[in-house]
């Protein structure tokens, strides 16, 4: 019996000793990251049957169990992933917000100074003041382009920094993955050695802490398999499968070498993963920031730059400089960036050109050749257009095989990335350095002699098109020609004469692709183009658009329609005939359009034009109006302006561009578009600040819940320490009693 009591005491002593050691281990690791509290699990030993009674045999320690709740740990990791994504995104967007919203470093003050300089030029076009105003206008232009260049450069630098951070995060993910795979092996072996499946608690804590660290970088999900963890990141990409690691690597985008993306290595092959594959964590925040804010910011700045440069250049070309020459480009304009995918199997390329700056969006575009069709996708919202042929226009951008007309055809599956506005802010610059080349004057003058006897008046004339249109048809007419933003003056360096025959129109410039729009349907004709004639259809080539329409009868075979440069303006003397209430004297081939109360009528060349007081008369790219009551034989002169000095008419039109709705479908001004951009960035930054704070509170709650079950409470451990100490002392006393009893038995036996 003494021996039995001794055994019971020994088991109690051993259990108490383990309890003290475990409690001490908890106390020692109270501040260790990822440590989960451990408790000793005890069970009574099987009793011994003695004389019909069962006598206890003491205690055994069945396990030292860590207090780990996988559900609560998962909540912590999920909250931590969401919190880190919001924090990284907010940190990145804050730098842009501070940059563009700065009242001194932003674009708005520079825009205001630029247009103010042209307003001053319009107010003081002459003499010394005019010379100073011209120089000030050039300086303001330099300042504005410098501001746009600087902002674009800063955004490019942020993009480069994002690439560096992506590389750093991928390196950390790979490091954690390798450690997790190694721990999987070690833990499996340790559990095998234990024999009873008991886990190595501290190694399990280390592995779970690695999962927690990994969740700071990207979203993590864990699927246990035996003693091992299978770890998936992002939207389900396998990272660790037992002891196998799928290493990630940083690769260049297939369509944008300046853009870092993530791929994984499988069987020695690198497979590129979509950016949206990595939700959550720092990596998800970086990708989300770049796709949703950084790209849009660069494109927004580029759109403003391109819109400003295009509209200003177009108006500058309609004016006259101090040298008596038609104005040239004031700004240089960035062109769309088009890059083929590295996986393309053909040498085909896409030439993209901006045809309507007012229709530009802040999106990039993907063009694919699939199933024999060209598919263009607007990446911002997924909107698509499909056509069997190119060119194809979308959002003010013309997509054309390059170089036309003999371009290599793409192969099935070929893909291209087109960024229409990405380079706008970095490439805008002042195209002129001579203040005399500012086209402040108008290109046309109107007048009437003092010998007129009537009260007829002629308004100041304006040039509203770079293209003059005319015809030899006695009945059919050609409309006023318009130009889009892709038009260049060399297109009509020599006049283009189109001929009507057999219900077709031919004679387009060699190499020009022609499109004909009838209603909502546009048909493209490759060069050398002969297009079918439809009265009133819009015909376009090389940035020039016009319509040929039936008059009393359709055109006759051999009728010609001419397109030529509108400048310099042809000198014209118009004569009023009171008998017919008509005007004559227009250029011999000019079709004349009269607009009154919003209704326009075009008259064939050579036709006497009915006079209506106040109506606008347009021909060969110029417009003016006559009013009053002219007398028979009164004349009105329209002539080219030969002296740009003292004339501010075009400067007024240039300065008025500040308040015109020219961007976003002609719904906002340049400053309005920039204000929208700044507002969008600021609103997103505020949204992310609120999200970050909210996720921070959720993370705190999740950690509190997890620590309430798994964390070390030093007060509780101190109590346990005293309890185990008392148990140890009692077990020692029991063994002492057992020893005394055993000695007594020995003495009796002696």
């Amino acid at each position: 019996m003494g021996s039995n009591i001794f055994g019971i005491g020994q088991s109690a002593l051993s259990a108490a000793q383990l309890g003290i050691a475990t409690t001490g281990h908890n106390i020692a690791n109270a501040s260790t990251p990822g440590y989960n509290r451990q408790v000793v699990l005890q069970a009574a030993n099987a009793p011994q049957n003695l004389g019909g009674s069962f006598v206890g045999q003491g205690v055994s320690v069945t396990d030292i169990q860590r207090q780990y709740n996988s559900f609560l740990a998962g909540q912590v990791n999920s909250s931590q992933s969401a919190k880190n994504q919001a924090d990284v995104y907010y940190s990145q967007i804050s730098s842009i917000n501070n940059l563009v919203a700065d009242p001194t470093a932003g674009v708005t003050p520079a825009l205001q100074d630029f247009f103010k300089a042209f307003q001053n030029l319009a107010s003081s076009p002459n003499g010394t003041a005019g010379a100073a105003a011209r120089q000030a206008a050039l300086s303001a232009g330099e300042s504005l382009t410098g501001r746009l260049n600087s902002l674009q450069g800063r955004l490019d630098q942020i993009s480069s920094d994002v690439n560096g951070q992506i590389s750093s995060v991928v390196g950390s993910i790979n490091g954690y993955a390798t450690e997790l795979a190694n721990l999987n092996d070690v833990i499996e072996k340790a559990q095998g050695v234990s024999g009873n499946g008991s886990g190595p608690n501290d190694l399990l804590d280390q592995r779970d802490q690695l999962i927690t660290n990994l969740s700071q970088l990207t979203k993590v999900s864990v699927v246990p398999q035996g003693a091992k963890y299978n770890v998936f990141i992002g939207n389900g990409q396998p990272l660790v499968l037992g002891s196998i690691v799928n290493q990630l690597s940083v690769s260049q985008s297939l369509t944008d070498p300046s853009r870092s993306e993530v791929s994984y290595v499988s069987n020695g092959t690198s497979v590129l993963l979509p950016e949206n594959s990595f939700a959550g964590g720092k990596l998800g925040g970086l990708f989300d920031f770049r796709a949703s804010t950084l790209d849009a910011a660069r494109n927004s700045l580029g759109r403003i730059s391109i819109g400003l440069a295009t509209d200003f250049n177009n108006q500058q070309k309609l004016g006259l400089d101090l040298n008596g020459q038609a104005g040239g480009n004031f700004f240089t304009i960035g062109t769309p960036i088009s890059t083929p995918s590295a996986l393309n199997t053909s040498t085909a390329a896409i030439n993209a050109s901006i045809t309507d700056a007012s229709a530009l969006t802040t999106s990039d575009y993907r063009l694919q050749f699939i199933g024999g069709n060209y598919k263009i996708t607007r990446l911002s919202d997924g909107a698509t257009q499909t056509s069997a042929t190119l060119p194809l226009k979308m959002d003010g951008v013309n997509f054309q095989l390059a170089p036309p007309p003999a371009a290599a055809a793409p192969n099935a599956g070929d893909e291209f990335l087109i960024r229409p506005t990405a380079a706008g802010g970095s490439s805008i610059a002042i195209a002129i350095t001579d203040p005399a080349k500012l086209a402040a004057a108008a290109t046309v003058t109107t007048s009437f002699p003092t010998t007129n006897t009537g009260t007829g008046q002629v308004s100041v004339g304006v040039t509203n098109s770079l293209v003059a249109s005319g015809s030899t048809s006695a009945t059919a007419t050609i409309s006023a020609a318009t130009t889009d933003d892709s038009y260049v003056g060399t297109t009509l360096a020599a006049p283009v004469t189109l001929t009507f025959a057999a219900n077709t129109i031919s004679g387009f410039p060699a190499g020009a692709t022609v499109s004909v729009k009838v209603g909502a349907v546009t048909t493209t004709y490759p060069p050398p183009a002969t297009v079918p004639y439809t009265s009133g259809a819009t015909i376009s080539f090389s940035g020039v658009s016009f319509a040929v329409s039936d008059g009393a009868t359709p055109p006759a075979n051999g009728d010609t329609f001419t397109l030529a440069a509108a400048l310099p303006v042809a000198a014209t003397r118009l004569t009023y005939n009171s008998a017919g209430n008509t005007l004559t004297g227009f250029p011999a081939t000019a079709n004349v359009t009269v607009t009154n109360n919003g209704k326009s009528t075009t008259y064939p060349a050579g036709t006497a034009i009915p006079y209506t007081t106040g109506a606008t008369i347009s021909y060969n790219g110029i417009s003016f109006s006559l009013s009053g009551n002219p007398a028979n034989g009164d004349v009105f002169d329209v002539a080219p302006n030969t002296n740009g000095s003292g004339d501010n008419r075009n400067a007024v039109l240039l300065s008025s561009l500040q308040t015109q709705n020219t961007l976003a479908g002609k719904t906002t001004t340049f400053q309005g578009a920039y204000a929208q951009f700044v507002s969008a960035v600021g609103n997103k930054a505020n949204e992310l600040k609120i999200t970050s704070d909210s996720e921070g509170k959720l993370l705190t709650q999740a950690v509190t819940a997890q620590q309430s079950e798994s964390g070390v409470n030093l007060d509780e451990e101190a109590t346990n320490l005293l309890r185990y100490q008392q148990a140890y002392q009692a077990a020692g006393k029991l063994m002492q009693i057992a020893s005394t009893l055993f000695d007594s038995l020995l003495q009796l036996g002696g």
Side-chain angles (χ1 to χ4, degrees):
M1 180 62 69
S3 174
N4 187 46
I5 296 173
F6 188 85
I8 293 173
Q10 187 178 33
S11 69
L13 190 67
S14 177
Q17 188 175 17
L18 285 175
I20 292 173
T22 301
T23 301
H25 188 58
N26 287 340
I27 293 172
N29 288 280
S31 299
T32 300
Y35 180 78
N36 291 278
R37 180 171 59 91
Q38 298 177 13
V39 297
V40 175
L41 300 183
Q42 299 179 178
N45 290 331
Q48 182 180 10
N49 187 356
L50 294 176
S53 297
F54 290 91
V55 179
Q57 299 296 304
V59 67
S60 292
V61 173
T62 59
D63 193 11
I64 299 178
Q65 186 183 72
R66 67 180 189 135
Q67 300 303 288
Y68 177 75
N69 186 313
S70 60
F71 174 74
L72 293 178
Q75 284 190 322
V76 170
N77 292 340
S78 178
S79 295
Q80 187 163 247
S81 185
K83 167 69 171 170
N84 275 266
Q85 178 175 4
D87 284 350
V88 169
Y89 196 158
Y90 176 67
S91 173
Q92 295 295 326
I93 199 174
S94 292
S95 60
I96 295 181
N97 188 37
N98 294 336
L99 187 67
V100 300
D102 191 316
T104 58
V107 171
T108 296
L111 272 172
Q112 292 172 339
D113 290 345
F114 176 71
F115 283 107
K116 183 178 179 180
F118 276 88
Q119 290 165 5
N120 291 337
L121 175 59
S123 300
S124 305
N126 295 327
T128 303
R134 285 176 176 271
Q135 186 58 59
L138 276 185
S139 298
E142 291 281 3
S143 177
L144 174 58
T145 56
R147 187 71 53 84
L148 291 168
N149 295 161
S150 176
L151 282 177
Q152 183 78 61
R154 180 68 185 107
L155 294 177
D156 290 342
Q157 181 60 51
I158 291 174
S159 178
S160 179
D161 292 344
V162 168
N163 286 341
Q165 292 185 60
I166 289 172
S167 180
S168 176
V169 171
V170 167
S172 298
I173 290 175
N174 285 335
Y176 289 141
T178 301
E179 291 184 62
L180 283 167
N182 292 337
L183 277 173
N184 273 342
D185 268 346
V186 173
I187 290 171
E188 185 178 50
K189 291 175 182 177
Q191 285 194 348
V193 170
S194 70
N196 61 358
S198 178
N201 292 333
D202 295 326
L203 293 178
L204 294 175
D205 286 345
Q206 290 179 32
R207 184 172 66 179
D208 288 322
Q209 182 60 30
L210 286 176
I211 297 295
T212 298
N213 293 342
L214 188 60
S215 71
Q216 296 175 5
L217 305 180
T218 186
K219 179 182 176 182
V220 180
S221 56
V222 176
V223 178
Q225 185 177 12
K228 296 182 176 181
Y229 276 176
N230 293 331
V231 181
F232 302 85
I233 61 174
N235 291 335
Q237 172 61 37
L239 180 68
V240 179
L241 299 175
S243 57
I244 299 173
V245 177
N246 291 319
Q247 289 280 345
L248 301 180
S249 63
V250 177
S251 305
Q252 290 181 337
S253 168
L254 295 174
T255 52
D256 183 4
S258 68
R259 193 182 189 93
S260 291
E261 295 189 354
V262 177
S263 55
Y264 74 94
V265 180
S266 177
N267 297 323
T269 302
S270 182
V271 180
L272 196 63
L273 296 169
E275 290 185 4
N276 58 11
S277 297
F278 297 97
K282 186 174 183 180
L283 190 59
L286 290 171
F287 280 137
D288 201 6
F289 161 72
R290 185 169 68 180
S292 300
T293 296
L294 181 57
D295 289 347
R298 286 196 290 192
N299 290 343
S300 294
L301 197 63
R303 181 177 68 164
I304 294 168
S305 301
I306 291 172
L308 172 68
T310 298
D311 291 341
F312 210 83
N313 285 351
N314 289 343
Q315 190 59 55
Q316 165 88 355
K317 291 174 185 177
L318 296 176
L320 195 73
D321 65 19
L322 277 180
N323 301 320
Q325 301 296 315
N329 284 337
F330 183 86
F331 293 105
T332 58
I333 308 175
T335 57
I337 299 172
S338 175
T339 51
S341 169
L343 299 180
N344 285 3
T345 57
S346 75
T347 59
I350 297 296
N351 266 358
S353 58
I354 295 172
T355 59
D356 184 3
S358 69
L360 288 174
T361 69
T362 59
S363 179
D364 295 333
Y365 298 81
R366 180 174 59 245
L367 188 149
Q368 300 165 289
F369 188 64
I370 305 173
N373 290 316
Y374 295 94
K375 178 183 179 182
I376 298 177
T377 303
R378 185 166 57 218
L379 298 182
S380 61
D381 60 5
T384 62
Q385 284 191 19
T386 303
S387 173
T389 60
L390 291 180
L392 184 63
K393 292 183 180 180
M394 185 175 186
D395 297 336
V397 182
N398 186 62
F399 300 87
Q400 168 75 59
L401 280 174
N411 293 333
D414 280 1
E415 180 177 319
F416 307 84
L417 175 68
I418 295 91
R419 296 182 291 160
T421 59
S426 60
S427 60
I428 188 171
I430 299 299
I432 61 176
T433 56
D434 184 359
K437 291 187 177 181
L438 281 175
T443 57
V444 60
T445 63
T446 58
S447 62
F448 56 89
T450 57
T451 55
N452 281 1
T453 59
T455 60
Q457 302 284 326
V458 61
S459 71
V460 173
V462 295
T463 301
N464 45 35
S465 176
L466 295 172
V467 178
S469 58
S471 77
T472 61
S473 176
T475 58
T477 58
I478 182 171
S479 69
T482 60
T483 59
D484 64 32
D485 297 333
S486 66
Y487 172 76
V488 292
T490 54
T491 301
L492 299 177
V496 171
T497 300
L498 307 177
T499 303
F500 178 87
N503 210 42
T504 63
I505 297 177
S506 60
F508 296 95
T513 298
V514 182
S515 64
V516 178
K517 184 177 182 181
V518 180
V521 179
T522 300
T523 306
T524 300
Y525 299 88
T530 295
V531 304
Y533 170 71
T534 302
S535 178
T538 300
I539 302 173
S540 304
F541 71 92
S542 303
V544 180
S545 297
F546 58 93
V548 176
S549 304
D550 295 345
T553 62
N557 286 339
D559 282 355
T560 60
F561 301 88
T562 304
L563 298 163
L567 301 176
V569 174
T572 304
R573 169 161 280 193
L574 306 180
T575 302
Y576 177 73
N577 185 330
S578 61
N581 192 35
T582 58
L583 294 167
T584 58
F586 293 93
T589 62
N591 292 179
V592 180
T593 299
V594 178
T595 303
N596 186 42
N597 294 326
K599 182 180 179 180
S600 297
T601 305
T602 300
Y603 298 89
T607 303
I609 306 302
Y611 171 73
T612 303
T613 183
T616 299
I617 300 172
S618 304
Y619 68 92
N620 284 355
I622 61 173
S623 298
F624 56 89
S625 63
L626 295 175
S627 60
N629 297 306
N632 186 54
D634 282 357
V635 296
F636 302 90
D637 293 318
V638 180
N641 187 9
T642 58
N643 182 11
S645 177
D647 187 342
N648 71 342
R649 286 178 290 164
N650 203 52
V652 171
L653 295 175
L654 286 169
S655 63
S656 70
L657 291 174
Q658 180 181 19
T659 57
Q660 293 179 20
N661 289 338
T662 55
L663 292 179
K666 296 188 176 180
T667 61
T668 188
T669 64
F670 305 126
Q671 288 175 256
Y674 185 75
Q676 289 175 3
F677 161 50
V678 173
S679 177
V681 172
N683 289 339
K684 187 64 178 179
N686 185 58
E687 172 193 332
L688 287 165
K689 178 65 169 63
I690 295 172
T691 300
S692 177
D693 292 343
S694 175
E695 292 294 346
K697 292 179 180 178
L698 291 176
L699 176 59
T700 299
Q701 293 172 2
V703 170
T704 300
Q706 190 260 353
Q707 285 297 301
S708 68
E709 182 167 338
S710 301
V712 175
N713 185 316
L714 292 177
D715 290 337
E716 180 182 354
E717 297 303 325
T719 301
N720 288 338
L721 193 61
L722 291 174
R723 180 166 59 87
Y724 284 123
Q725 179 187 12
Q726 291 173 351
Y728 189 89
Q729 291 172 341
K733 187 65 175 177
L734 179 61
M735 291 185 67
Q736 182 182 6
I737 292 171
S739 178
T740 301
L741 291 175
F742 190 69
D743 288 343
S744 298
L745 289 174
L746 289 177
Q747 290 174 4
L748 289 174

